[in-house]
């Protein structure tokens, strides 16, 4: 039975343009957490840590603060290591696109044959697929060395970069630059 004059309650399926614009928006949101490169490589902010505990504290705070920058650095090192393995590079780019569309940029649940697939299943399937395909390309040692180099670069930078000039928001930045209050008045007359 049809009912004329009613407003449909279900929305029409999203178009490819809607998906692309949402994906661009989410990529921009993710990249917005990237810190300025000038702040990351400010030469005046580097110094030796006072000890092991100071180095560990610096690594924790810098990794938290420069998280997106460090991810970009590791991905660039990985990309550069795969330039001499073109098949692996193609597989890597295809896998990155699959990860982006199936896991990171997906707003709505994934349905296959009318069944909803959970994020955990997508994560496990994509991880197994990534490992299997990269094993088949024969570039695993190259990838492991690139990841090791990226990790060494990140830890070295994070350990030697001081954290006293890192501000998470504008309120914290202005709070650090407010001059301290004057010392309390002792009650004696000023001369």
């Amino acid at each position: 039975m049809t009912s004329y004059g009613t407003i449909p309650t279900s929305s029409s399926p999203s178009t490819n343009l809607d998906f692309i614009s949402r994906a661009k928006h989410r990529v921009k949101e993710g990249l917005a957490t990237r810190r300025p490169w000038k702040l990351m490589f400010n030469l005046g902010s580097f110094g030796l840590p006072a000890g092991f505990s100071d180095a560990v504290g610096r690594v924790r705070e810098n990794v938290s603060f420069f998280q997106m920058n460090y991810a970009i650095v590791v991905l660039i090192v990985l990309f550069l290591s795969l330039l001499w393995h073109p098949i692996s590079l193609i597989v890597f780019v295809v896998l990155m696109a699959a990860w982006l569309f199936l896991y990171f940029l997906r707003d709505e649940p994934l349905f296959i044959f009318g069944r909803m697939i959970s994020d955990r299943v997508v994560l496990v399937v994509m991880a197994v697929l990534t490992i299997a395909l990269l094993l088949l390309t024969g570039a695993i040692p190259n990838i492991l060395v690139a990841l090791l180099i990226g990790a060494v670069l990140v830890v070295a930078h994070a350990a030697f970069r001081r954290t006293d000039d890192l501000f998470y928001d504008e309120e914290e930045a202005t709070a650090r630059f407010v001059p301290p209050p004057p010392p309390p008045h002792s009650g004696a007359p000023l001369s």
Side-chain angles (χ1 to χ4, degrees):
M1 177 170 145
T2 59
S3 46
Y4 297 102
T6 60
I7 299 173
T9 57
S10 65
S11 62
S12 62
S14 10
T15 64
N16 288 338
L17 292 176
D18 289 339
F19 179 76
I20 291 172
S21 68
R22 281 196 319 268
K24 281 175 58 177
H25 179 69
R26 293 202 46 185
V27 167
K28 284 181 183 179
E29 281 179 351
L31 289 176
T33 62
R34 180 185 59 84
R35 305 297 180 165
W37 294 103
K38 285 183 179 181
L39 177 66
M40 186 173 174
F41 294 112
N42 181 4
L43 294 180
S45 295
F46 285 91
L48 290 174
F52 182 73
S53 62
D54 184 36
V56 170
R58 284 183 182 188
V59 168
R60 284 186 181 162
E61 189 164 347
N62 280 325
V63 166
S64 173
F65 190 79
F66 293 114
Q67 183 176 5
M68 182 60 71
N69 297 67
Y70 288 148
I72 291 170
V73 167
V74 170
L75 285 175
I76 288 172
V77 169
L78 184 59
F79 178 80
L80 291 175
S81 75
L82 292 176
L83 286 177
W84 290 270
H85 297 277
I87 299 298
S88 298
L89 183 61
I90 292 169
V91 169
F92 177 73
V93 169
V94 168
L95 285 170
M96 286 301 295
W99 274 99
L100 284 172
F101 288 111
L102 293 175
Y103 191 74
F104 292 112
L105 298 179
R106 189 169 42 88
D107 289 339
E108 301 160 359
L110 180 65
F111 286 94
I112 297 179
F113 300 119
R115 304 191 94 199
M116 187 176 86
I117 309 298
S118 72
D119 283 343
R120 180 175 288 159
V121 171
V122 173
L123 178 67
V124 168
V125 168
M126 285 302 299
V128 168
L129 187 65
T130 300
I131 291 169
L133 288 177
L134 288 176
L135 279 172
L136 290 175
T137 64
I140 290 294
N142 202 27
I143 292 169
L144 291 177
V145 168
L147 290 175
L148 181 65
I149 290 170
V152 167
L153 288 174
V154 166
V155 170
H157 178 271
F160 289 110
R161 194 194 185 292
R162 291 193 318 266
T163 59
D164 54 353
D165 63 343
L166 303 180
F167 305 113
Y168 287 94
D169 58 8
E170 292 178 14
E171 291 175 6
E172 183 181 346
T174 56
R176 288 195 181 191
F177 290 115
V178 172
H185 191 17
S186 63
L190 296 175
S191 44

